[in-house]
Amino acid sequence: MTTLALPVASVTEPPARFRDLVASEWLKLWSLRSTGWSLLLGALAVVAFNLGTAWDHYRYFLQYDTASRAEFVANDMALWDAFTYNAALVLILASAAMGAVSVVGEYGSGLIRTTFTAVPARGTLMAAKLLVVAVVQAVFGAVVACGSFWSTQAVLSARDIGLPITHPGAARIVVASALLAPVCAMAGMALGALLRKSATSIVGTVVLLLLLPAVFSDRRHLTAVLAHATPLHAWERLADAGPAVEEPFPWSAGGAWLVYALWALGAAAVTVLAVRRRDQ
C-alpha cells in the first residue's frame, strides 16, 4: 500500500512592525517601578538645586551694596539661577544612569535572550528602545528645565529681578537644559550596550560625561577642542547668559548645538551596532 506524502505548508512569522516594537519597549520601560521613581526624584533634585540658588539670592539681595545689585541686573544674573552648573551635573548623572540601566537591565536578568529570540532584528529593536528612552528623557528634561525656570524667576520676581522667558537668552537656556537629558541618556545606552554590566556602565557614564570634561582645560588648543566636544561644555556654552568673557579659544553656539546632535547620533549608532555585532 502506497502512502501519499502531503506537503506541509511552512508558516513564516511576519516581521514585527516598528510601531509594535516601540509600544513593547514603552510598556517594558514603564513596567519597572523604578522608572517613575527615578524620574520623580531626579526632577526634584535638579529643581531643588536651582531653586536653592535663587532663594539664596532672593534672601540676601537687599544686603548687597548698590553696585552689586546693579551688576546683578545689568548682567542678567537671574538667568544663571534658571539652571545652575550643579543642577546640570545632577541631570547628566540621572539621565545617563537611566539610559544605561534601560539596556543592561535586560542583560542582567537574562530577558535579552527572550527578546532577541522573539525579535531577531536586533538593530530595529534597539532603535525602538532608543526612541522610547529619548522621548521619555526629552519630556523629563523639558519638565525639569521649564519648572526650574518658572520657579527660580518667580522667587526672584519678588525682588523685581526675575526675567521672563522672552528675555534674550532665556529660551536658549531652557531648550539646551531640556535637550541635555536625552543626549546623555543615549550616551548611557551606548555604554550599556558596550559594557553590559550595571555598575561598570554607570561608572563609565560618570567618567565619560563628568570627569573627562573636568580634566580638559580651555587654555590649550587641543584640550579646549576636546572640552568643547563634550555635552557638559556644550551646555555651558549654550547656558552662558552673563557678560561676554574673553576666552583663549572661543566657539559659537552653533558649534555647541552640533555637539549635541553628534553625540546623539553617535550614541544611537554605537547602541545599534553593539547588539548587532556581538552575541548576547
Side-chain angles (χ1 to χ4, degrees):
M1 181 176 180
T2 304
T3 303
L4 297 177
L6 298 177
V8 179
S10 60
V11 178
T12 304
E13 289 288 338
R17 295 176 298 181
F18 185 73
R19 66 180 182 182
D20 293 332
L21 295 178
V22 170
S24 174
E25 291 299 326
W26 178 269
L27 293 175
K28 193 184 301 181
L29 179 66
W30 289 105
S31 65
L32 299 175
R33 185 180 300 177
S34 60
T35 298
W37 282 109
S38 298
L39 293 173
L40 177 60
L41 294 177
L44 291 176
V46 172
V47 174
F49 269 100
N50 296 322
L51 193 57
T53 303
W55 173 258
D56 186 71
H57 285 148
Y58 162 81
R59 183 178 181 182
Y60 296 104
F61 187 75
L62 297 180
Q63 299 181 20
Y64 301 158
D65 56 46
T66 304
S68 297
R69 292 199 296 268
E71 182 182 4
F72 188 97
V73 175
N75 293 333
D76 295 335
M77 293 180 66
L79 294 182
W80 294 6
D81 295 349
F83 215 94
T84 62
Y85 180 80
N86 289 335
L89 298 182
V90 175
L91 178 66
I92 289 173
L93 181 58
S95 297
M98 183 174 177
V101 170
S102 69
V103 175
V104 300
E106 289 194 68
Y107 283 97
S109 63
L111 180 61
I112 197 68
R113 296 184 181 89
T114 305
T115 302
F116 286 157
T117 301
V119 185
R122 299 183 180 187
T124 305
L125 177 65
M126 295 308 295
K129 186 184 289 291
L130 278 162
L131 178 60
V132 169
V133 173
V135 169
V136 170
Q137 285 295 318
V139 173
F140 167 72
V143 170
V144 169
C146 293
S148 294
F149 184 88
W150 175 82
S151 59
T152 56
Q153 301 313 302
V155 169
L156 295 175
S157 293
R159 299 290 189 205
D160 294 326
I161 55 176
L163 297 174
I165 190 65
T166 55
H167 190 83
R172 187 178 68 184
I173 293 175
V174 173
V175 174
S177 302
L179 292 181
L180 184 62
V183 170
C184 293
M186 295 174 74
M189 294 182 70
L191 285 176
L194 289 173
L195 302 177
R196 304 189 178 185
K197 299 290 184 182
S198 297
T200 307
S201 299
I202 293 176
V203 171
T205 60
V206 173
V207 172
L208 179 65
L209 299 175
L210 297 181
L211 295 185
L212 284 182
V215 171
F216 296 138
S217 172
D218 292 333
R219 297 183 179 275
R220 293 178 176 83
H221 182 264
L222 177 60
T223 55
V225 171
L226 293 175
H228 294 166
T230 62
L232 178 58
H233 282 264
W235 172 83
E236 285 187 283
R237 174 62 183 84
L238 295 170
D240 184 12
V245 178
E246 185 176 353
E247 299 179 356
F249 304 100
W251 61 315
S252 65
W257 289 120
L258 181 62
V259 169
Y260 269 23
L262 292 179
W263 269 81
L265 293 175
V270 170
T271 303
V272 171
L273 292 176
V275 299
R276 292 182 62 182
R277 300 287 183 178
R278 294 172 58 188
D279 191 14
Q280 66 268 25

